[in-house]
Amino acid sequence: TTATSATVASGLQVPRAWAYANAAQTISSGVLTQIVFGATLYDPLSNFNTSTSTYTAPSAGIYFLEARVVLDQVSIRIYVRVNGSAVFSSIPSSGATYGAITGLVNLGLNDTVTVSIDQESGSTAHVVYTASNYTLLSVWRLGSTTNI
């Protein structure tokens, strides 16, 4: 079945948003910093605000979230936050310059999702890879808590 709207066969959902970093961002050591996603690749319902780098859930349900961050020369820890509180985080990336995390979260109507990172290198780091498939937030709504 081909998706022609927000719903596909069996009530599952197509992607809701794909936002990505479109400019370099400086990340200070030891400071939890929200990632700036200044552009969207996909956002048909306009639920991602590029001014605040925030996704707002248009309906309650179970959402699949993927966050990826690429930095220069430091290990990082990624936090996915709902309404300002961390709901899950990655393990530190052990010296790698890339971190990724995925998870399911039960969002309510108008709940907000942001991505923050922490790096402990002792110096500043930079989000340098700004293609749409590097530093990103991808959001999929899977269904309500009663139909999945």
Side-chain angles (χ1 to χ4, degrees):
T1 303
T2 301
T4 56
S5 68
T7 322
V8 294
S10 303
L12 296 178
Q13 305 294 315
V14 296
R16 293 296 184 160
W18 181 295
Y20 63 96
N22 65 344
Q25 179 181 359
T26 300
I27 310 296
S28 297
S29 181
V31 178
L32 187 63
T33 305
Q34 183 176 334
I35 294 297
V36 175
F37 298 110
T40 58
L41 183 65
Y42 184 82
D43 187 19
L45 301 176
S46 299
N47 297 116
F48 193 86
N49 182 333
T50 55
S51 296
T52 61
S53 298
T54 302
Y55 177 80
T56 301
S59 59
I62 304 298
Y63 288 75
F64 175 81
L65 306 174
E66 174 189 19
R68 289 189 241 164
V69 179
V70 180
L71 293 181
D72 60 347
Q73 307 175 15
V74 297
S75 66
I76 60 173
R77 185 173 191 152
I78 301 172
Y79 298 86
V80 172
R81 303 170 74 80
V82 173
N83 300 326
S85 298
V87 291
F88 53 90
S89 65
S90 66
I91 59 171
S93 61
S94 300
T97 60
Y98 170 85
I101 188 168
T102 59
L104 298 175
V105 64
N106 186 5
L107 296 178
L109 174 66
N110 295 321
D111 277 353
T112 60
V113 177
T114 58
V115 176
S116 297
I117 66 167
D118 181 31
Q119 62 92 3
E120 301 289 338
S121 69
S123 61
T124 58
H126 303 90
V127 176
V128 292
Y129 299 101
T130 56
S132 63
N133 62 339
Y134 286 133
T135 297
L136 65 88
L137 172 64
S138 175
V139 180
W140 297 63
R141 184 177 183 276
L142 302 180
S144 72
T145 56
T146 59
N147 72 359
I148 63 169

